[in-house]
Amino acid sequence: MFQRNTDIDRRSRLIAPGRGGDGPVVYWLSREQRADDNWSLLFAQQEALDRQRPLVVVFCLVTDYPEATLRHYHFMLTGLVELQQKLAGLGIVLQLLEGSPERLLPPFLADTGAHLLVSDFDPLRIKQGWKKQLRPRLSLPWHEVDGHNIIPAWVTSEKREYAAYTIRPKINRLLDSYLTDFPKLVPHPYPSAVAATPLDLKTLCARVKDRRSGPVSWLQSGEKAAAGAVATALVQRLPGYADRRNNPCLPGQSGLSPYLHFGQFSAQRLAKTVAAGNLPPESRDAFLEELVVRRELADNYCLYEPEYDTFAAFPSWARNTLHSHRLDPRPYLYSPASLEQAETHDPLWNRCQQDLLTVGKLHGYLRMYWAKQILLWSREPEEALATAISLNDRYSLDGRDPNGYAGIAWSIGGVHDRAWPERPVFGKIRSMTASGCRRKFPVDLYIQSPRETALSLF
Ligand SMILES: Cc1cc2nc3c(=O)[nH]c(=O)nc-3n(C[C@H](O)[C@H](O)[C@H](O)COP(=O)(O)OP(=O)(O)OC[C@H]3O[C@@H](n4cnc5c(N)ncnc54)[C@H](O)[C@@H]3O)c2cc1C
């Protein structure tokens, strides 16, 4: 009898019961774009082995995903080309469908006689919307697996958490039990009748509609490159994380967010490696706080706050204070278009925006400064929020991520933060100033540094 691994099972939940066909187990992959250390794929393979069926992985390519540009598609598709080859070596087909999942999955599942469906967990509205529309169109059993968080988001908490200090004890209570070793994906013994078309990067990129930002060349995409970047970060960046991470002139942060965003590297694998490694304890603990607590808090925010990208999601103290400072004169007023073009009076802010435009990433410390100045220079907080989200999503390689929505809501709307002494425009929202940045790091050095330097620091 097949021996099930219960550590795999507890990362999943049944989201729709049903009766499937005689065909393969289908894993609809979206957020976890990797073969290694992927709970969703492991769960799908376990189901397929248990039922002695083929395993098919399907990816739905939506070429007009909101704010996703050629920069993001090129990175993602490069990774998917590698993934298709890697899975083929294990006897697992990766089939790409061009179009939206709620339209394309029902006929695909019907044509293949799919037995069971497995999908990734993702709290973002668009992904939840696809699933909502899909549900009445399917009649097979459907499981969702959280391969993104170490502890499944619905297990950690059943409600929107107020701040890091409220979710931290919940995570810490469960962490040891969930921070386990990954089982191995095995060569799949039941061949599939589905024949996958080999992915062609050039052809697929040609179909991308939004070309406002182009591919980056400084960061290689794919699981292999991600593993290399992790190894480098462990040796060269993370030992100094505690002291250096707030200095954009030093390589103090991991630089791994694009890989984590596209699921090309498992956060659980990274956390396990860091926890067991020999980093100085302050750096290890500070990094795990960001990677585990802050990151899982961001997923919690988007999961339980459907309006996560609007003013309505801000806590009441923040909404009240922003309301009462609505009419405060702004020291400078810039349109979203001027901000996008980095045309402000502030060389530090302009450099941040230029890094977003050309590099496709902004240092974590500067992201806070960047977003808070948008609040200060916009007509109203709602406009500031919309501008920050759209610029971050459009230009940052790791954009369109719960971390981004939570980070911007923290910066502009006090989400997961507390009230601070009152100031014009900000009210009680924590402010950041250029002079404050000067006390933290050599601002002029950052502004004058060649763009290539940014590449080795972010
Ligand atoms: C205004 C603003 C916008 C942001 N937009 C994004 C975004 O679009 N995508 C994104 O992934 N992160 C975003 N963040 C969170 C954070 O700044 C980035 O995760 C970090 O800069 C990524 O670089 P790194 O991987 O070198 O970070 P490291 O400091 O090395 O952290 C490692 C990982 O921990 C997680 N992490 C770190 N800081 C945070 C945080 N504050 N909240 C949640 N998770 C965190 C990320 O997954 C990150 O990759 C934003 C923060 C702010 C204030």
Side-chain angles (χ1 to χ4, degrees), residues 241 253-257 287 290 295 361 364 392 398 403-404:
Y241 192 78
Q253 304 196 336
S254 71
L256 297 173
S257 56
F287 183 71
E290 301 300 329
R295 197 166 144 283
K361 197 160 186 302
N392 190 64
D398 61 13
N403 291 349

Side-chain angles (χ1 to χ4, degrees), residues 237-238 241 245 252-258 260-261 270 287 290-296 298 361-372 388 392-393 396 398-411 457-458:
R237 290 163 171 252
L238 295 183
Y241 192 78
R245 71 193 154 120
Q253 304 196 336
S254 71
L256 297 173
S257 56
L260 294 169
H261 168 74
L270 181 56
F287 183 71
E290 301 300 329
L291 178 72
V292 182
V293 176
R294 295 281 165 178
R295 197 166 144 283
E296 305 215 351
K361 197 160 186 302
L362 182 55
H363 188 276
Y365 184 73
L366 288 172
R367 288 180 117 146
M368 299 184 273
Y369 176 74
W370 172 86
K372 284 177 181 291
N392 190 64
D393 281 357
S396 195
D398 61 13
R400 294 149 296 95
D401 189 285
N403 291 349
Y405 302 117
I408 291 170
W410 179 91
S411 305
L457 296 177
F458 301 161

